Amino acid sequence: MAARDGALTGLHDPASTADLLVQIFDPVGRPRGTGFAADPEGTLVTSHEAVDGAARLLVRAGDAVTEVTGAAITPLPRLGLALLHTRGLGGPRPLPVAAPRAVGRGAYVRIAAGGWREARVLGTTTVTYTASDGPRLLDGALELALGTAGTDALRPGGGAAGGPVLDAETGAVLGVLGTTLHTAHRTAGFALPLTGADGPLAALLARNAATVPAYGADLNLAGVARLTAAASAPRVPAARPERVPRAEVTRHLETFAAPGTHRPHGAAEAPEWAEAAEGTKAAEGTEVGGAAVLALVGPPGSGRTTELAALAAHRAAGAQASPTLWLRGSDLLAADPSLSAAASRALARAAVPGGCGARTPVASGMPGTPCAEDLRPERLARVAREGGRPLLLLLDAPEEMPDASAERLPEWAAATAAWLRTTGARLILACRPEYWERLGAAFPRALLYGPGTPAGRSLPPCVALGDLGFDEARLVRARHGIPDTALAPADARHPLTLRLLAEVRAECPEPGGRPDRHEVLSAHLDLVCLRVAARLTGPAHPRGTAVRRLAAHVAGQVHAAARRCLGPGQGALDEASFALLFSGGATARPGAGPGAPARAGIQVGGDWVPAVLAEGLFVRTGDSHRFAHEELGDWLQGMHLDVEAALDALVLRGASYSAASRTEWYGAARPADGPAGSPPVPPAPSVPPHRIGPVVEALLLLARDRGTAELTYQLGRLVDALEVLMPAEPPAADLRPPPGTPLWWALRLLAETLLRVPDATPYTAVLDRLARRILARYAQARPVPAELGPPLWEAVRLRAAERFDLLRRLVVTDPAPGAPGDPACPRFLDAAARLLTADPAAVQPQLTRWFEDDRPLPATPHATVATAAQALLYTHRHGALDHLTEALADSAHPRGEELLAVLAEEEPSAMRRAVERWERDERPARRAAAVRYAPRARAREAGRALPHRTSPALPAGAATR
């Protein structure tokens, strides 16, 4: 761009500054100076001389004029500056303020003085500014060299006072022009810096950095947020407007992402935490403390991606966006040393052409452009941290990492943790429990955020995500227009099932029946295939028989895709396979005879891929395609999985070689040929643990397609395999098999299947056999895996009678409070207490059946199962007192009578009501009870003293919770 006498050709026209600068006048229209906006709220920056002595000013931006008076004028005479607070001016666009830095001698700048002009910086100096209240010295003023025309434009009274001085490369404001500034040696012009301020100017500069993007040497918080948003845009899904906030999950995510530091899980116990913080302080010169990794862990369909998208939308909302970079596991490459490599590639793809070396005209609309240095995630993280809003990386579905990357998880996690410590960035990842069990163990525990280890799971600290709460599910159903009785109870709180059912009901408002999850998935698949067929045929063909036939053909190809996803890898289709399946040609349709589409009367040749992708059945991730809904993909793949062969490969082959399996996973030397007289142990199949979904779905489909007897048989095989696979003498007090071992597969498949069957009553025999195995191991002082602990027995869908019979048998295995073991795994007595609190009327009669069990409780000295039941009923009596008195009377047991006697003393009103009921009861036992307890209850209620009776002994620990 040519320059003539300091003025830039093409930027001369005052119209080119109209949307960036304002003109300041006195009430009679005389020019006082120029100003520029520094935030979206309309706060203007100008020189003090432009407002000195004025109580009322007029500000013009383009054709709009507004009046500024009184408190709207903030003079800063000791800085030589002033702020004007305007509202409704409609402009100008805010300009970014340069980061505090030295401006080199000879650097080119642009000034606003009668148009945009070019000048050079001669250095900095101290100048004298004479205001109406006297002179003062101002340090750090920029000396500017200008041409003759520029010097004339800076004469006092010419209206240039307060104009911005812009860096010629970044477009950020370096200073504010003054026309009455002097030194002993007069130079062409001076500008006052905007750095080193406090008070209202410091607050304004902080808002400027957070809301007005700057790049290059002046990269600021807003620039980082703009760059990360541009890099994330192609991947981050839109936040769903009908989403219902999940209070507990939202609290954890926002707490973790908020500025400040967090105490990591177990920080007090982990000596490496202090070393990690000290290492970061040495590397960066400032301490970066607190947890740096949060894992949002839940099964497919639980809403992991939805929660991440809502967090990303929340951080992007408002003028002051927080830097957030969205990545997927498919963005990683096998050779990536850490997550920073994927972040670098994502930022590079979002780069704006031009580079920061280009002298971009200020009037082009966005001062400055990003350069290569701006796209380094380390620099973005440093700027974000210094701005008080740490860079947050969101990693969705890390399971999609390439196979080679997955094999290097420990090295990758260690390098990523070191990078997070050094830069101060934070990471939230969303994955399946099976994947986090492996990946979380590779991260330093001191960096992990979470309320603790989820009960019953051998997982590192995380935030667990499951079904919606009852109130949340009710609100979701209301927003989708789904009646409360429209779903099977077991699936009425499942997020994805509700969402897919809403889509189905939109096409078929009154589907009838009460579908379960399987039926909803099937209906959704039919609907999407019908939409694909309609898209392929176009508007000329209504949804008649021909389109339905084509939809069935599409569904066949979808099932073929599911079968291919069962092959080696991460459950995705490569580009070639996907294109072959959905090419639309006859040769790409296995089983379809030539001419079938013609018989339908519809031309279906050509590429089906755009239609399949447009309907959201598959998504492209990296260089592959996978089902958009992971749960739908698992369900479809489970239809085509051979359960017998899968269990043989994953579990039962390992169970056939017990001696070898006992030593294989705790480091003991294993004989090369296994136990004497047995063949070598076959190699473990290369199935990633997080690919457990299709296997569980296949087991669930067994019961649906072949009856419960078939699933009972397969689950029984897994229970029998546990006895062989679980070691007799483990090296630690708990039993945590590494992911992917035969024992791991047996435990997880058994627990996941039992927890997901809609009714576990047909599998009571399996649970009974499993309980006997646990009791046998307890009798031999052998540990039991957390997967078989109380949470399984508490959550499995059983009738109260069967559940409490199992809990009664297992309660004797509870460890004593403070005993070594997994502190996150609650006791069976805790489970009984929680169930009693949740539904006392249903549970109280079940606990009275424990009165016959006088086995001692090793965890609670001098207590038995019977006295524990008494204590639970007494402690939680207020939930349903009238039901409790009836349950105790029905038990006809001496321990029940003991507790009734205590209630007569401590709950006389409840006992009086019971006596009144029993006096009218025709049963002789009830009338006898009324005679027995009436005097005591009525006397106690009347306030007469009675002999003291001791309440039942209360076992220490959970019964009081």
Side-chain angles (χ1 to χ4, degrees):
M1 183 176 294
R4 184 179 64 238
D5 194 24
L8 297 179
T9 305
L11 297 178
H12 229 129
D13 185 356
S16 64
T17 64
D19 58 350
L20 295 177
L21 305 180
V22 300
Q23 302 299 317
I24 303 172
F25 303 89
D26 63 16
V28 298
R30 290 189 296 263
R32 296 290 300 258
T34 302
F36 65 93
D39 64 13
E41 300 171 13
T43 306
L44 308 178
V45 179
T46 186
S47 66
H48 183 265
E49 62 184 274
V51 305
D52 189 22
R56 177 169 169 261
L57 295 168
L58 299 178
V59 176
R60 184 177 70 190
D63 297 329
V65 178
T66 188
E67 184 178 75
V68 181
T69 61
I73 303 174
T74 302
L76 304 170
R78 69 182 186 85
L79 300 173
L81 304 172
L83 307 181
L84 304 179
H85 306 279
T86 64
R87 293 189 179 278
L89 194 57
R93 292 200 304 272
L95 291 175
V97 176
R101 58 185 173 89
V103 181
R105 183 181 180 88
Y108 281 94
V109 295
R110 295 188 177 99
I111 66 171
W116 292 110
R117 301 179 181 276
E118 190 172 75
R120 295 185 69 184
V121 176
L122 301 178
T124 59
T125 187
T126 299
V127 297
T128 300
Y129 167 55
T130 303
S132 59
D133 60 350
R136 50 179 48 85
L137 295 177
L138 304 177
D139 296 327
L142 296 175
E143 294 187 74
L144 305 176
L146 298 133
T148 303
T151 302
D152 292 341
L154 289 182
R155 286 181 300 184
V165 176
L166 305 182
D167 186 291
E169 293 185 350
T170 69
V173 178
L174 294 170
V176 172
L177 290 172
T179 60
T180 62
L181 305 177
H182 298 279
T183 61
H185 58 284
R186 172 67 179 174
T187 56
F190 296 100
L192 297 173
L194 293 172
T195 57
D198 54 14
L201 180 58
L204 175 63
L205 296 180
R207 288 198 303 276
N208 178 272
T211 58
V212 186
Y215 305 100
D218 296 312
L219 180 68
N220 61 8
L221 187 61
V224 173
R226 179 78 63 87
L227 287 170
T228 54
S232 302
R235 289 167 176 75
V236 61
R240 304 188 64 82
E242 73 275 13
R243 168 187 170 268
V244 171
R246 303 166 81 163
E248 187 68 11
V249 174
T250 301
R251 180 179 67 83
H252 282 300
L253 294 181
E254 294 185 356
T255 298
F256 175 80
T261 59
H262 314 298
R263 190 170 188 81
H265 175 83
E269 298 78 27
E272 69 269 21
W273 170 245
E275 299 173 7
E278 186 62 28
T280 303
K281 181 176 180 180
E284 283 295 305
T286 180
E287 185 170 354
V288 180
V293 179
L294 181 150
L296 187 62
V297 175
S302 59
R304 301 182 314 239
T305 301
T306 298
E307 292 301 316
L308 284 192
L311 177 63
H314 172 73
R315 287 173 63 85
Q320 301 188 25
S322 299
T324 309
L325 181 61
W326 183 289
L327 300 168
R328 285 191 69 95
S330 58
D331 292 329
L332 276 71
L333 300 180
D336 285 349
S338 72
L339 187 62
S340 65
S344 297
R345 288 192 297 274
L347 290 164
R349 287 192 294 266
V352 178
C356 61
R359 303 280 291 282
T360 306
V362 176
S364 64
M366 181 182 290
T369 54
C371 61
E373 182 66 16
D374 293 341
L375 303 177
R376 293 179 59 247
E378 293 78 12
R379 182 163 187 248
L380 269 62
R382 178 181 59 80
V383 172
R385 186 187 65 202
E386 291 173 352
R389 298 187 185 182
L391 172 64
L392 180 65
L393 293 92
L394 303 179
L395 177 59
D396 190 25
E399 299 95 329
E400 297 174 4
M401 285 184 185
D403 291 342
S405 296
E407 294 172 1
R408 297 174 45 252
L409 271 185
E411 296 83 0
W412 182 89
T416 297
W419 184 82
L420 293 172
R421 286 169 174 160
T422 302
T423 61
R426 296 173 188 168
L427 169 64
I428 296 180
L429 55 89
C431 63
R432 301 180 68 129
E434 297 80 17
Y435 195 81
W436 180 240
E437 181 176 358
R438 189 175 171 202
L439 177 57
F443 277 108
R445 193 175 182 86
L447 290 188
L448 301 183
Y449 175 96
T453 302
R457 301 299 296 266
S458 301
L459 296 180
C462 61
V463 175
L465 195 65
D467 282 351
L468 298 166
F470 289 98
D471 293 337
E472 295 166 346
R474 189 179 300 112
L475 185 54
V476 169
R477 291 193 295 269
R479 290 187 178 181
H480 285 301
I482 300 174
D484 288 345
T485 58
L487 266 172
D491 304 310
R493 296 187 292 122
H494 188 258
L496 182 62
T497 302
L498 290 171
R499 176 180 164 188
L500 298 185
L501 179 60
E503 294 183 17
V504 173
R505 288 176 62 87
E507 297 288 331
C508 181
E510 298 298 333
R514 199 174 190 184
D516 59 15
R517 185 182 67 96
H518 297 274
E519 292 166 332
V520 171
L521 290 174
S522 179
H524 172 74
L525 177 63
D526 292 343
L527 175 61
V528 174
C529 291
L530 187 63
R531 287 175 177 171
V532 171
R535 187 181 288 270
L536 289 171
T537 58
H541 297 277
R543 291 188 179 182
T545 303
V547 175
R548 288 196 295 271
R549 290 179 64 183
L550 179 57
H553 188 64
V554 173
Q557 298 305 97
V558 172
H559 279 276
R563 286 193 295 271
R564 294 203 181 198
C565 288
L566 285 171
Q570 304 287 2
L573 291 173
D574 58 54
E575 290 278 4
S577 298
F578 188 76
L580 178 65
L581 285 169
F582 297 104
S583 65
T587 57
R589 300 191 299 273
R599 289 197 301 271
I602 297 175
Q603 177 62 38
V604 296
D607 190 5
W608 292 9
V609 170
V612 172
L613 293 178
E615 290 302 331
L617 186 55
F618 289 86
V619 293
R620 180 179 282 109
T621 56
D623 57 356
S624 62
H625 293 79
R626 61 181 67 241
F627 286 95
H629 299 304
E630 187 179 5
E631 184 175 20
L632 177 65
D634 287 350
W635 176 74
L636 280 168
Q637 293 168 57
M639 290 183 178
H640 303 284
L641 185 68
D642 185 333
V643 174
E644 192 91 12
L647 295 188
D648 284 343
L650 297 172
V651 178
L652 301 175
R653 286 199 303 173
S656 302
Y657 304 94
S658 57
S661 64
R662 287 194 187 101
T663 60
E664 183 175 14
W665 61 270
Y666 8 74
R670 187 185 63 175
D673 296 326
S678 67
V681 178
S686 57
V687 179
H690 61 270
R691 293 285 289 140
I692 192 175
V695 188
V696 174
E697 293 289 352
L699 286 166
L700 295 173
L701 286 167
L702 273 183
R704 191 175 186 85
D705 297 339
R706 304 186 195 175
T708 58
E710 181 67 22
L711 179 56
T712 299
Y713 169 69
Q714 298 296 348
L715 293 178
R717 295 175 71 205
L718 292 175
V719 173
D720 292 340
L722 290 179
E723 188 61 24
V724 178
L725 293 171
M726 285 193 292
E729 298 178 358
D734 57 356
L735 188 60
R736 298 187 180 186
T741 59
L743 177 56
W744 184 93
W745 280 105
L747 289 169
R748 288 302 169 86
L749 289 173
L750 185 62
E752 291 294 327
T753 306
L754 287 171
L755 288 172
R756 290 186 54 184
V757 291
D759 180 13
T761 304
Y763 313 106
T764 305
V766 175
L767 292 166
D768 176 77
R769 192 185 312 181
L770 188 58
R772 283 190 275 114
R773 291 276 190 271
I774 293 173
L775 289 168
R777 290 188 66 82
Y778 175 77
Q780 299 166 3
R782 297 178 182 179
V784 176
E787 286 79 3
L788 304 182
L792 170 66
W793 308 87
E794 183 180 352
V796 68
R797 297 181 177 100
L798 279 172
R799 292 192 297 259
E802 286 83 359
R803 186 192 312 278
F804 273 84
D805 181 63
L806 292 166
L807 289 177
R808 177 189 61 79
R809 295 163 58 190
L810 293 170
V811 74
V812 296
T813 66
D814 280 342
D822 188 351
C825 186
R827 300 184 297 166
F828 287 97
L829 200 58
D830 295 325
R834 284 191 295 273
L835 292 167
L836 175 61
T837 303
D839 191 359
V843 172
Q844 287 164 348
Q846 308 305 324
L847 283 176
T848 62
R849 299 177 183 177
W850 292 20
F851 290 165
E852 299 287 348
D853 194 334
D854 287 321
R855 290 177 300 162
L857 288 179
T860 308
H862 314 298
T864 65
V865 174
T867 57
Q870 274 187 306
L872 285 174
L873 291 170
Y874 173 78
T875 303
H876 301 281
R877 64 189 183 278
H878 297 294
L881 265 173
D882 290 338
H883 285 90
L884 176 59
T885 55
E886 295 299 324
L888 293 174
D890 285 339
S891 70
H893 193 278
R895 293 193 183 278
E897 293 180 0
E898 289 178 6
L899 192 49
L900 281 172
V902 173
L903 294 179
E905 289 189 17
E906 300 193 10
E907 305 292 344
S909 297
M911 284 302 299
R912 176 183 54 79
R913 294 193 299 271
V915 167
E916 290 174 354
R917 292 193 303 272
W918 297 341
E919 287 174 339
R920 299 190 297 270
D921 201 303
E922 295 182 356
R923 289 172 290 182
R926 283 291 198 275
R927 293 189 175 184
V931 171
R932 194 161 53 250
Y933 295 108
R936 181 176 296 273
R938 288 167 179 161
R940 187 69 176 179
E941 193 172 28
R944 294 196 295 268
L946 291 171
H948 178 71
R949 188 174 184 90
T950 305
S951 62
L954 186 65
T960 61
R961 300 206 245 301

